[in-house]
Amino acid sequence: MLFKARSAAVYGIDAHIIDVEVDFSGVKREEEQFAMVGLPDAAVRESRDRVRAAIKNSGFDLPPTRITINLAPADLKKEGSGFDLPIAAGILGAYGALHLKDLDDFLLVGELGLDGAIRGVPGVLPIAVAARKAGIKNLLLPAKNAREAAVVDGVNVFPVKSLAEARELLNMAAFEALTVPPLRVETSHLLNEMQSFPFDFKDVRGQHVAKRALEVAAAGGHNILMIGPPGSGKTMLAKRLPSILAPLRFEEALETTKIHSVAGVLDADQGLVAHRPFRSPHHTVSDAGLIGGGAIPRPGEVSLAHNGLLFLDEIPEFPRNVLEVLRQPLEDGVVTISRAAMSLSFPARFMLAAAMNPCPCGYFNDKSRECMCTPPMIQRYVSKVSGPLLDRIDIHIEVPAVQYKELRSGEAAEGSTQIRDRVLAARERQHKRFAMIEEATSGRRQKPIFANAQMSTQQIRIFCELSSDAERILERAMQQQGLSARAHDRILKVSRTIADLEGTPEIAVKHIAEAIQYRTLDRSYWA
């Protein structure tokens, strides 16, 4: 008898529907024979032992016959333990333990324990999105993963904890007597809940220029590099940057959650990534750990930081080959990983925050301490961060040592709440501006824009018009500092953000002048 169930396989951050076809010969043998075809990997092939034990320990007695399982389409490689539940359901259906003729209206995913318990698997959110796209109404998923799938509208999510519970639910559906309500998750509540952060800018003494630069970076989603001596507060400032970032919009949250779901790092109780990610890898990270990789490519730190913040502390300590792989995601917002078996792309549109000392000892240009480094030592140190990579960072800011009077001052510093309010107002102006682009390009495929840093060259020309005075200032800076065309565009984006913070539609001379000042820490800083 032939019985069909449906499941899904995840490739990158997208899922493909897989048909699980089960057939048994009907001829009894001394022992059961289990054949599986359709390019299964080792974890899928091992499922026959898990499924056999789970069925037996769930109280089902199957006669020893030959069972053939086909995972279609056969030209796609299947991996992972998520096929256990659909295979077991298909076997039960083939032997008549289910009252349904097939499971076309259900998509099943889950790993089985030997006792029949259903365990969680990664990548459930992309599977739910694929099910909705394919018109599959009902999902049977592990209870651990149910909340992340329930954020997708248009599908009914039924969490199950055991194979026996899944069988009972499917048999109820056969008689249209399904009394178990599907799981619902209120996504607006998750995104609009009060956001609390462990760090606040009110703890930072002094550093008014650096705090202003971080406010501009947060308002426009700009990359920022902080340069200063040890103990000046670079890491302290970076850890407080998430407290002033704009909250995730639902489209951003859904895409971010898909990546975390595929990587297996999603909080099962949360179901949706409601805060912008903050990733801070150690400088011993490999290029594969940072950018992603593996025989079957998995997302790396840059993708886990998608729509959030990637902080690289002491950036010259990272291997040069690791830093150079950041060029493509910083420019394109996507990472493409090619292997012999397949080529996959992961979103990687993040805000980069980096910190570094100006020299090996850390006291170059410091007024209170003498630098002990020779020029060749400084050159070797700073050359670990290449010019092309520095060129892709919008804001370079000096973070000097804090003076004693500022450290001991009793004056209350401005907190994250006040800074965040200005950032949100600037982001709202950007959202209204870019909404016009979406309306004008309706029907044409285009990436949504959420911040000034994501503007294309064409959009820069439209939204970053300069007066004649501002043009002269920018031209003089380009010639004197030898800035590249990329730096030219980034200066315009930053000036647009500064104008948005002030609430003015036009970019004034003071806006372009401030944006130029944020490029003075380029290579000329060590000259």
Side-chain angles (χ1 to χ4, degrees):
M1 180 179 176
L2 178 65
F3 192 88
K4 294 182 180 179
R6 307 186 84 176
S7 188
V10 178
Y11 300 94
I13 63 167
D14 297 314
H16 298 267
I17 303 300
I18 302 297
D19 292 325
V20 180
E21 301 173 338
V22 179
D23 179 74
F24 75 96
S25 65
V27 179
K28 293 188 177 182
R29 300 173 180 270
E30 292 184 0
E31 61 180 37
E32 179 185 337
Q33 293 184 0
F34 206 118
M36 187 176 299
V37 295
L39 282 184
D41 73 344
V44 180
R45 287 194 299 270
E46 289 174 355
S47 67
R48 58 190 176 191
D49 298 316
R50 293 192 297 269
V51 168
R52 182 187 292 114
I55 291 176
K56 178 182 176 182
N57 293 324
S58 297
F60 306 110
D61 188 18
L62 301 181
T65 59
R66 177 177 175 83
I67 300 174
T68 303
I69 296 172
N70 179 41
L71 304 177
D75 59 340
L76 287 178
K77 188 174 181 60
K78 322 301 185 305
E79 65 162 355
S81 57
F83 292 101
D84 289 3
L85 179 57
I87 289 173
I91 292 174
L92 292 177
Y95 281 101
L98 298 180
H99 299 308
L100 291 168
K101 294 182 178 179
D102 55 49
L103 299 179
D104 285 345
D105 290 336
F106 287 85
L107 188 145
L108 296 84
V109 175
E111 177 184 337
L112 287 176
L114 300 184
D115 59 351
I118 299 177
R119 298 168 179 165
V121 294
V124 166
L125 180 59
I127 290 173
V129 174
R132 181 182 63 179
K133 186 177 180 181
I136 302 174
K137 300 178 181 179
N138 306 306
L139 276 69
L140 261 66
L141 303 173
K144 180 181 178 180
N145 304 123
R147 285 184 61 84
E148 64 178 282
V151 303
V152 180
D153 293 329
V155 293
N156 300 319
V157 176
F158 297 98
V160 287
K161 297 180 179 179
S162 66
L163 180 59
E165 182 181 344
R167 173 183 178 263
E168 181 181 357
L169 191 147
L170 291 172
N171 281 338
M172 284 193 295
F175 297 105
E176 298 183 357
L178 195 57
T179 58
V180 180
L183 179 66
R184 302 295 182 193
V185 173
E186 185 58 47
T187 56
S188 59
H189 173 71
L190 289 175
L191 293 176
N192 295 329
E193 64 183 358
M194 291 297 292
Q195 300 194 33
S196 60
F197 299 93
F199 305 108
D200 195 289
F201 270 101
K202 67 181 179 183
D203 303 325
V204 179
R205 301 296 179 185
Q207 302 297 6
H208 302 292
V209 175
K211 290 171 71 174
R212 166 64 177 178
L214 288 171
E215 179 181 339
V216 173
H222 302 289
N223 303 321
I224 184 168
L225 172 65
M226 295 176 284
I227 305 175
S232 60
K234 303 183 296 295
T235 304
M236 184 180 187
L237 288 164
K239 287 183 177 180
R240 282 151 181 78
L241 187 52
S243 67
I244 63 172
L245 295 177
L248 285 168
R249 297 186 180 274
F250 180 72
E251 299 87 350
E252 295 177 293
L254 192 63
E255 192 172 31
T256 304
T257 306
K258 287 173 68 176
I259 299 172
H260 285 237
S261 175
V262 169
V265 297
L266 182 65
D267 185 353
D269 296 330
Q270 191 176 18
L272 187 72
V273 176
H275 301 277
R276 293 193 180 274
F278 178 82
R279 307 293 298 186
S280 180
H282 192 259
H283 61 77
T284 56
V285 67
S286 65
D287 51 356
L290 187 64
I291 211 73
I296 303 295
R298 295 295 187 191
E301 290 291 337
V302 297
S303 295
L304 293 173
H306 180 62
N307 289 323
L309 179 67
L310 177 68
F311 176 51
L312 301 183
D313 200 5
E314 301 298 341
I315 189 171
E317 300 299 329
F318 286 77
R320 172 119 184 203
N321 66 300
V322 172
L323 292 178
E324 291 307 301
V325 300
L326 288 173
R327 291 196 196 182
Q328 183 197 5
L330 284 175
E331 198 71 23
D332 303 331
V334 67
V335 171
T336 302
I337 303 173
S338 298
R339 296 290 182 267
M342 62 181 66
S343 179
L344 296 177
S345 295
F346 296 100
R349 194 159 61 179
F350 58 90
M351 177 182 165
L352 174 66
M356 65 179 291
N357 296 328
C359 65
C361 76
Y363 297 105
F364 179 76
N365 271 353
D366 188 70
K367 297 179 181 179
S368 59
R369 298 282 296 270
E370 181 181 358
C371 176
M372 305 301 293
C373 304
T374 63
M377 291 170 60
I378 297 175
Q379 182 60 34
R380 283 194 300 270
Y381 180 77
V382 300
S383 64
K384 294 179 181 179
V385 186
S386 67
L389 181 59
L390 279 175
D391 211 28
R392 287 169 167 81
I393 300 178
D394 308 44
I395 298 174
H396 309 159
I397 190 70
E398 184 178 9
V399 184
V402 183
Q403 300 300 315
Y404 176 80
K405 289 184 178 180
E406 292 180 319
L407 281 174
R408 301 299 299 168
S409 172
E411 182 181 354
E414 187 177 35
S416 296
T417 303
Q418 293 79 12
I419 301 174
R420 183 183 173 90
D421 289 341
R422 295 194 295 268
V423 169
L424 292 178
R427 278 295 182 102
E428 186 60 31
R429 296 183 185 100
Q430 296 169 48
H431 176 67
K432 292 179 179 178
R433 181 186 306 127
F434 300 136
M436 297 187 300
I437 298 177
E438 295 180 9
E439 292 176 4
T441 59
S442 59
R444 286 182 287 170
R445 186 165 184 168
Q446 186 171 348
K447 284 184 178 180
I449 301 174
F450 299 102
N452 285 333
Q454 299 166 3
M455 286 191 293
S456 65
T457 303
Q458 182 181 6
Q459 291 153 1
I460 292 174
R461 293 174 181 171
I462 298 173
F463 299 119
C464 300
E465 292 185 357
L466 301 179
S467 64
S468 56
D469 292 338
E471 285 279 6
R472 284 194 293 271
I473 291 177
L474 181 57
E475 181 182 5
R476 190 182 307 120
M478 292 286 295
Q479 293 174 350
Q480 292 178 352
Q481 298 185 26
L483 300 178
S484 66
R486 183 183 289 112
H488 166 271
D489 288 352
R490 295 185 181 274
I491 288 173
L492 290 176
K493 292 178 182 179
V494 173
S495 62
R496 177 70 268 170
T497 299
I498 296 171
D500 288 338
L501 281 168
E502 196 172 289
T504 58
E506 297 86 12
I507 298 177
V509 172
K510 59 181 179 179
H511 303 146
I512 200 76
E514 182 179 352
I516 292 171
Q517 289 302 310
Y518 293 140
R519 301 293 304 189
T520 56
L521 294 181
D522 215 331
R523 285 294 183 182
S524 59
Y525 176 78
W526 291 281

